[in-house]
Amino acid sequence: MNKFRDYIALNFEAIITSIVVNRREDSSASSGDSGGSSNNNINATTDVILHFGSMYRSCFRHANLYGQLVVTTRRVERFVFPFIDRALLPNFDESSDAMESLKLVMTAGATCNDNDSTTTIDTTSQQKMAELAASFLTRDYDAVWDQRFNPKLLSSEANYMTKRIALQILSTVLLTRSNYNIMIRYVNSRTNLILVMKLLRDNSPHITLDAFHVFKVFVANPNKIPEVEKILKDNSQKLCTYLETLHYDKEASDQQFADEKRLIIATIRGL
Protein backbone atom coordinates (compact mmCIF):
# COMPACT_ATOMS: atom_id res chain seq x y z
CA MET A 1 0.00 0.00 0.00
CA ASN A 2 2.93 2.36 0.59
CA LYS A 3 4.11 1.82 -2.97
CA PHE A 4 0.56 2.50 -4.18
CA ARG A 5 0.46 5.73 -2.16
CA ASP A 6 3.86 6.89 -3.38
CA TYR A 7 3.02 6.17 -7.01
CA ILE A 8 -0.20 8.17 -6.80
CA ALA A 9 1.62 11.03 -5.05
CA LEU A 10 4.20 11.27 -7.84
CA ASN A 11 1.54 11.29 -10.56
CA PHE A 12 -1.30 12.94 -8.63
CA GLU A 13 -2.79 15.29 -11.21
CA ALA A 14 -2.76 12.80 -14.07
CA ILE A 15 -4.17 9.87 -12.09
CA ILE A 16 -6.85 11.73 -10.12
CA THR A 17 -7.95 13.65 -13.21
CA SER A 18 -8.48 10.33 -14.99
CA ILE A 19 -10.39 8.85 -12.05
CA VAL A 20 -12.68 11.86 -11.63
CA VAL A 21 -13.30 12.55 -15.33
CA ASN A 22 -13.78 8.93 -16.31
CA ARG A 23 -16.32 8.23 -13.62
CA ARG A 24 -18.98 9.68 -15.87
CA GLU A 25 -19.15 11.08 -19.37
CA ASP A 26 -22.38 11.95 -21.14
CA SER A 27 -23.00 9.89 -24.23
CA SER A 28 -23.19 13.15 -26.19
CA ALA A 29 -19.62 13.92 -25.20
CA SER A 30 -18.28 10.71 -26.70
CA SER A 31 -20.55 10.70 -29.75
CA GLY A 32 -19.70 14.32 -30.52
CA ASP A 33 -16.01 13.52 -30.86
CA SER A 34 -15.31 11.80 -34.15
CA GLY A 35 -11.60 11.57 -33.46
CA GLY A 36 -9.66 8.79 -31.79
CA SER A 37 -10.48 7.46 -28.35
CA SER A 38 -9.29 9.38 -25.32
CA ASN A 39 -9.07 8.62 -21.63
CA ASN A 40 -11.12 11.76 -21.08
CA ASN A 41 -13.93 10.64 -23.38
CA ILE A 42 -15.26 7.41 -21.98
CA ASN A 43 -18.99 6.77 -21.94
CA ALA A 44 -18.70 4.88 -18.69
CA THR A 45 -21.15 2.20 -17.63
CA THR A 46 -22.42 2.15 -14.07
CA ASP A 47 -20.04 -0.71 -13.21
CA VAL A 48 -17.08 1.32 -14.44
CA ILE A 49 -18.27 4.41 -12.58
CA LEU A 50 -18.54 2.46 -9.32
CA HIS A 51 -15.07 1.03 -9.87
CA PHE A 52 -13.63 4.52 -10.30
CA GLY A 53 -15.43 5.58 -7.12
CA SER A 54 -13.78 2.75 -5.22
CA MET A 55 -10.39 3.77 -6.61
CA TYR A 56 -11.00 7.38 -5.56
CA ARG A 57 -11.80 6.41 -1.97
CA SER A 58 -8.83 4.04 -1.81
CA CYS A 59 -6.54 6.95 -2.66
CA PHE A 60 -7.87 9.36 -0.06
CA ARG A 61 -7.74 7.08 2.92
CA HIS A 62 -4.03 7.91 2.85
CA ALA A 63 -3.38 11.10 4.81
CA ASN A 64 -0.61 12.28 2.46
CA LEU A 65 -2.79 11.87 -0.61
CA TYR A 66 -5.74 13.46 1.18
CA GLY A 67 -3.51 16.44 1.93
CA GLN A 68 -2.69 16.78 -1.77
CA LEU A 69 -6.39 16.62 -2.62
CA VAL A 70 -7.47 19.53 -0.41
CA VAL A 71 -4.29 21.62 -0.44
CA THR A 72 -5.70 24.29 -2.78
CA THR A 73 -9.11 25.61 -3.79
CA ARG A 74 -8.31 24.68 -7.38
CA ARG A 75 -7.90 21.01 -6.50
CA VAL A 76 -11.07 20.99 -4.43
CA GLU A 77 -12.96 22.49 -7.37
CA ARG A 78 -11.54 19.92 -9.79
CA PHE A 79 -11.52 16.79 -7.66
CA VAL A 80 -14.18 17.21 -4.96
CA PHE A 81 -16.98 19.46 -6.23
CA PRO A 82 -17.87 17.16 -9.18
CA PHE A 83 -19.20 14.64 -6.67
CA ILE A 84 -21.78 17.13 -5.42
CA ASP A 85 -23.24 17.35 -8.92
CA ARG A 86 -23.06 13.59 -9.39
CA ALA A 87 -25.01 13.05 -6.20
CA LEU A 88 -28.02 14.43 -8.05
CA LEU A 89 -27.83 11.93 -10.92
CA PRO A 90 -31.01 9.88 -11.49
CA ASN A 91 -29.10 6.58 -11.31
CA PHE A 92 -29.30 5.47 -7.65
CA ASP A 93 -26.05 3.49 -7.64
CA GLU A 94 -24.08 6.32 -9.22
CA SER A 95 -25.48 9.02 -6.94
CA SER A 96 -24.96 6.83 -3.84
CA ASP A 97 -21.36 6.19 -4.85
CA ALA A 98 -20.77 9.92 -5.34
CA MET A 99 -22.13 10.61 -1.85
CA GLU A 100 -19.83 7.99 -0.33
CA SER A 101 -16.84 9.69 -1.94
CA LEU A 102 -18.04 13.10 -0.77
CA LYS A 103 -18.56 11.74 2.75
CA LEU A 104 -14.99 10.47 2.87
CA VAL A 105 -13.57 13.85 1.87
CA MET A 106 -15.77 16.09 4.02
CA THR A 107 -15.58 14.00 7.19
CA ALA A 108 -11.92 13.05 6.70
CA GLY A 109 -12.88 9.39 6.72
CA ALA A 110 -14.47 9.54 10.17
CA THR A 111 -17.76 7.97 9.05
CA CYS A 112 -16.64 5.76 6.18
CA ASN A 113 -17.00 2.01 6.31
CA ASP A 114 -16.90 0.89 2.70
CA ASN A 115 -17.06 -2.75 1.79
CA ASP A 116 -14.89 -1.98 -1.23
CA SER A 117 -11.92 -0.91 0.89
CA THR A 118 -9.06 -2.90 2.32
CA THR A 119 -7.41 0.27 3.60
CA THR A 120 -8.24 1.36 7.13
CA ILE A 121 -7.38 4.78 8.53
CA ASP A 122 -5.31 4.66 11.71
CA THR A 123 -5.99 7.13 14.51
CA THR A 124 -2.96 9.34 13.82
CA SER A 125 -3.76 9.61 10.11
CA GLN A 126 -7.42 10.29 10.83
CA GLN A 127 -6.52 13.14 13.16
CA LYS A 128 -4.19 14.61 10.56
CA MET A 129 -6.91 14.30 7.91
CA ALA A 130 -9.45 15.94 10.23
CA GLU A 131 -7.16 18.97 10.60
CA LEU A 132 -6.70 19.14 6.83
CA ALA A 133 -10.47 18.87 6.33
CA ALA A 134 -11.08 21.70 8.80
CA SER A 135 -8.62 23.85 6.91
CA PHE A 136 -10.18 23.37 3.49
CA LEU A 137 -13.78 23.52 4.74
CA THR A 138 -12.95 26.86 6.37
CA ARG A 139 -10.96 28.22 3.44
CA ASP A 140 -13.63 27.29 0.89
CA TYR A 141 -16.62 27.78 3.19
CA ASP A 142 -18.82 29.80 0.81
CA ALA A 143 -18.10 27.59 -2.19
CA VAL A 144 -18.73 24.39 -0.22
CA TRP A 145 -21.70 25.21 1.98
CA ASP A 146 -23.51 28.24 0.57
CA GLN A 147 -23.01 27.64 -3.13
CA ARG A 148 -23.17 23.85 -3.37
CA PHE A 149 -23.89 21.65 -0.34
CA ASN A 150 -26.99 23.40 1.02
CA PRO A 151 -28.72 24.44 -2.21
CA LYS A 152 -28.06 21.13 -3.98
CA LEU A 153 -27.83 18.28 -1.50
CA LEU A 154 -30.39 19.56 1.03
CA SER A 155 -32.83 21.06 -1.45
CA SER A 156 -36.35 19.82 -2.11
CA GLU A 157 -35.10 18.54 -5.47
CA ALA A 158 -32.59 16.19 -3.84
CA ASN A 159 -33.75 12.60 -3.43
CA TYR A 160 -34.21 10.78 -0.14
CA MET A 161 -30.83 9.06 -0.14
CA THR A 162 -28.94 12.23 -1.01
CA LYS A 163 -30.60 14.26 1.76
CA ARG A 164 -30.02 11.53 4.35
CA ILE A 165 -26.32 11.16 3.66
CA ALA A 166 -25.90 14.94 3.34
CA LEU A 167 -27.45 15.44 6.78
CA GLN A 168 -25.20 12.75 8.22
CA ILE A 169 -22.16 14.44 6.69
CA LEU A 170 -23.27 17.81 8.03
CA SER A 171 -23.89 16.44 11.52
CA THR A 172 -20.46 14.80 11.61
CA VAL A 173 -18.73 17.96 10.41
CA LEU A 174 -20.49 20.17 12.96
CA LEU A 175 -19.77 17.82 15.86
CA THR A 176 -16.10 17.25 15.04
CA ARG A 177 -13.90 19.19 17.46
CA SER A 178 -11.43 20.40 14.84
CA ASN A 179 -14.35 21.97 12.93
CA TYR A 180 -15.34 24.32 15.76
CA ASN A 181 -15.00 27.49 13.67
CA ILE A 182 -17.03 25.95 10.86
CA MET A 183 -19.73 24.90 13.32
CA ILE A 184 -19.98 28.39 14.81
CA ARG A 185 -20.28 29.98 11.38
CA TYR A 186 -22.81 27.45 10.12
CA VAL A 187 -25.18 27.61 13.10
CA ASN A 188 -25.01 31.40 13.25
CA SER A 189 -26.87 31.61 9.96
CA ARG A 190 -30.55 32.44 9.72
CA THR A 191 -30.72 30.80 6.28
CA ASN A 192 -29.17 27.57 7.51
CA LEU A 193 -31.53 27.38 10.49
CA ILE A 194 -34.61 27.81 8.29
CA LEU A 195 -33.33 25.09 5.95
CA VAL A 196 -32.83 22.61 8.79
CA MET A 197 -36.22 23.46 10.34
CA LYS A 198 -37.85 22.62 7.00
CA LEU A 199 -36.06 19.27 6.97
CA LEU A 200 -37.42 18.60 10.46
CA ARG A 201 -40.83 18.51 8.76
CA ASP A 202 -39.82 16.10 6.00
CA ASN A 203 -42.17 13.21 5.20
CA SER A 204 -39.42 10.67 5.93
CA PRO A 205 -38.91 9.79 9.61
CA HIS A 206 -35.28 8.95 8.89
CA ILE A 207 -34.63 12.41 7.48
CA THR A 208 -36.40 14.12 10.38
CA LEU A 209 -34.20 12.19 12.80
CA ASP A 210 -31.04 13.17 10.93
CA ALA A 211 -32.28 16.77 10.77
CA PHE A 212 -32.84 16.75 14.54
CA HIS A 213 -29.18 15.90 15.14
CA VAL A 214 -28.23 19.01 13.13
CA PHE A 215 -30.97 21.20 14.63
CA LYS A 216 -29.80 20.48 18.19
CA VAL A 217 -26.45 22.12 17.39
CA PHE A 218 -28.23 25.37 16.53
CA VAL A 219 -30.17 25.26 19.80
CA ALA A 220 -27.21 24.25 21.95
CA ASN A 221 -24.99 27.07 20.65
CA PRO A 222 -24.57 29.40 23.67
CA ASN A 223 -23.63 32.40 21.51
CA LYS A 224 -26.53 32.64 19.08
CA ILE A 225 -26.69 35.71 16.89
CA PRO A 226 -29.90 37.78 17.35
CA GLU A 227 -31.44 36.63 14.04
CA VAL A 228 -31.12 32.94 14.97
CA GLU A 229 -32.37 33.45 18.52
CA LYS A 230 -35.38 35.44 17.24
CA ILE A 231 -36.44 32.63 14.90
CA LEU A 232 -36.25 30.10 17.73
CA LYS A 233 -38.16 32.42 20.10
CA ASP A 234 -40.85 33.30 17.57
CA ASN A 235 -41.42 29.62 16.79
CA SER A 236 -40.80 28.24 20.26
CA GLN A 237 -44.34 27.04 20.97
CA LYS A 238 -44.72 25.27 17.63
CA LEU A 239 -41.22 23.84 17.82
CA CYS A 240 -41.66 22.44 21.32
CA THR A 241 -45.06 20.94 20.51
CA TYR A 242 -43.63 19.29 17.43
CA LEU A 243 -40.46 18.06 19.11
CA GLU A 244 -42.41 16.47 21.95
CA THR A 245 -44.00 14.08 19.47
CA LEU A 246 -40.95 13.68 17.22
CA HIS A 247 -39.91 10.01 17.25
CA TYR A 248 -41.72 9.52 20.53
CA ASP A 249 -41.48 5.72 20.14
CA LYS A 250 -37.67 5.95 19.96
CA GLU A 251 -37.34 7.47 23.42
CA ALA A 252 -38.08 4.20 25.23
CA SER A 253 -35.20 2.37 23.53
CA ASP A 254 -32.72 5.23 23.18
CA GLN A 255 -32.06 7.06 26.43
CA GLN A 256 -29.50 9.40 24.89
CA PHE A 257 -32.00 10.56 22.27
CA ALA A 258 -34.67 11.05 24.95
CA ASP A 259 -32.30 13.11 27.09
CA GLU A 260 -31.17 15.21 24.13
CA LYS A 261 -34.74 15.91 23.08
CA ARG A 262 -35.76 17.00 26.58
CA LEU A 263 -32.72 19.28 26.80
CA ILE A 264 -33.42 20.88 23.42
CA ILE A 265 -37.08 21.49 24.32
CA ALA A 266 -36.07 22.99 27.68
CA THR A 267 -33.49 25.23 26.03
CA ILE A 268 -35.99 26.56 23.49
CA ARG A 269 -38.56 27.24 26.22
CA GLY A 270 -35.93 29.08 28.22
CA LEU A 271 -35.03 31.54 25.46
Side-chain angles (χ1 to χ4, degrees):
M1 295 308 298
N2 288 338
K3 290 183 178 180
F4 166 83
R5 177 201 63 202
D6 295 342
Y7 179 78
I8 300 294
L10 287 172
N11 302 277
F12 189 91
E13 288 274 344
I15 292 173
I16 303 306
T17 296
S18 295
I19 290 175
V20 172
V21 171
N22 289 345
R23 287 190 76 259
R24 184 176 188 273
E25 285 290 338
D26 294 332
S27 58
S28 59
S30 57
S31 62
D33 181 5
S34 57
S37 62
S38 167
N39 282 341
N40 290 336
N41 286 313
I42 294 176
N43 183 21
T45 65
T46 295
D47 285 346
V48 171
I49 289 167
L50 300 183
H51 182 64
F52 278 122
S54 177
M55 291 169 62
Y56 182 91
R57 293 187 293 277
S58 293
C59 291
F60 300 118
R61 288 186 176 84
H62 293 274
N64 291 344
L65 295 180
Y66 183 86
Q68 288 203 42
L69 174 69
V70 301
V71 67
T72 64
T73 297
R74 173 183 170 274
R75 283 196 170 174
V76 171
E77 290 174 344
R78 291 186 63 195
F79 303 137
V80 178
F81 287 169
F83 293 95
I84 294 179
D85 293 330
R86 289 167 185 167
L88 302 176
L89 294 174
N91 182 292
F92 178 82
D93 290 332
E94 294 178 26
S95 61
S96 298
D97 188 72
M99 287 300 291
E100 286 302 316
S101 294
L102 191 64
K103 181 194 293 185
L104 170 68
V105 176
M106 294 188 69
T107 68
T111 62
C112 294
N113 184 25
D114 286 351
N115 293 327
D116 60 14
S117 172
T118 57
T119 307
T120 57
I121 304 175
D122 62 83
T123 302
T124 301
S125 294
Q126 209 286 313
Q127 289 175 347
K128 180 179 178 181
M129 288 170 62
E131 292 171 0
L132 291 166
S135 178
F136 103 80
L137 290 173
T138 301
R139 182 193 67 216
D140 301 324
Y141 184 95
D142 290 338
V144 172
W145 302 106
D146 295 340
Q147 297 173 23
R148 291 172 175 83
F149 194 93
N150 285 0
K152 292 185 177 183
L153 305 184
L154 296 177
S155 70
S156 57
E157 287 74 28
N159 63 36
Y160 163 81
M161 178 279 303
T162 297
K163 284 191 283 190
R164 274 210 74 186
I165 298 180
L167 282 167
Q168 291 165 9
I169 291 172
L170 177 56
S171 177
T172 300
V173 170
L174 297 181
L175 295 174
T176 298
R177 181 174 300 180
S178 56
N179 293 332
Y180 177 80
N181 290 334
I182 300 164
M183 181 272 290
I184 290 297
R185 184 171 177 181
Y186 193 94
V187 301
N188 274 323
S189 164
R190 177 180 183 275
T191 301
N192 293 344
L193 175 58
I194 292 172
L195 174 63
V196 174
M197 286 172 63
K198 288 179 179 178
L199 290 166
L200 271 176
R201 293 279 190 175
D202 195 271
N203 292 328
S204 165
H206 295 293
I207 289 177
T208 59
L209 180 60
D210 291 330
F212 171 79
H213 290 305
V214 175
F215 177 72
K216 69 186 182 185
V217 186
F218 285 86
V219 179
N221 176 22
N223 300 309
K224 302 175 186 66
I225 62 172
E227 292 89 346
V228 166
E229 186 161 348
K230 184 176 187 302
I231 291 174
L232 293 173
K233 280 184 177 179
D234 291 348
N235 294 276
S236 60
Q237 184 174 350
K238 290 181 179 179
L239 278 170
C240 291
T241 300
Y242 177 71
L243 289 172
E244 284 173 349
T245 61
L246 181 68
H247 295 282
Y248 184 78
D249 55 337
K250 182 178 175 63
E251 294 185 47
S253 59
D254 190 335
Q255 188 60 48
Q256 180 177 347
F257 172 74
D259 292 342
E260 287 180 345
K261 203 170 83 164
R262 281 193 289 270
L263 178 60
I264 295 305
I265 292 172
T267 303
I268 293 173
R269 283 180 174 154
L271 291 174

